[in-house]
Amino acid sequence: MTRYFVYILEASKGGSPNGHYYIGYTTNLKRRMGEHRSGKGSKFVRAFGFKKLLYSETHPTRSAAMKREAQLKTWTRAQKEALVKGKIKATLPNSRRESRHHAG
């Protein structure tokens, strides 16, 4: 069964002290992070760089992952930061938090 990952990563360049956030979805998180690191990922990450993976969660269907990605893209930075820090729970049915990475 295919799992779909929705993830938030932090760009290494950007207008804020912590950089910009990028939100995406994939079926293979490890491969996708490799693509971002090597500059073969999205145009956004090619332009702003890749600092670190902040958050990921899994979804059972592509549709659910796409809906969650769209939802997260409407959130404010403060809401996204709260999600990354675990202060907001996953809000869509069938989503499961996978990992959280902090600077270290």
Side-chain angles (χ1 to χ4, degrees), residues 6-10 21-24 33 52-56 72 80-81 83-84:
V6 175
Y7 61 92
I8 301 174
L9 56 85
E10 185 176 0
Y21 289 157
Y22 174 81
I23 299 169
M33 293 304 106
K52 63 186 169 190
L53 175 66
L54 296 174
Y55 175 83
S56 69
L72 293 178
K80 293 170 193 170
E81 287 174 351
L83 178 67
V84 167

Side-chain angles (χ1 to χ4, degrees), residues 51-64:
K51 186 173 182 181
K52 63 186 169 190
L53 175 66
L54 296 174
Y55 175 83
S56 69
E57 61 189 35
T58 60
H59 295 270
T61 65
R62 181 177 181 216
S63 176

Side-chain angles (χ1 to χ4, degrees), residues 32-90:
R32 188 65 173 151
M33 293 304 106
E35 290 171 354
H36 284 310
R37 281 190 184 96
S38 70
K40 296 178 184 174
S42 70
K43 289 180 184 179
F44 176 92
V45 178
R46 282 195 301 272
F48 289 95
F50 174 62
K51 186 173 182 181
K52 63 186 169 190
L53 175 66
L54 296 174
Y55 175 83
S56 69
E57 61 189 35
T58 60
H59 295 270
T61 65
R62 181 177 181 216
S63 176
M66 291 174 71
K67 285 176 185 174
R68 179 62 164 175
E69 177 191 29
Q71 178 190 45
L72 293 178
K73 286 180 175 182
T74 68
W75 285 15
T76 65
R77 183 177 182 90
Q79 289 173 306
K80 293 170 193 170
E81 287 174 351
L83 178 67
V84 167
K85 292 176 183 175
K87 295 179 180 178
I88 296 177
K89 301 283 186 207

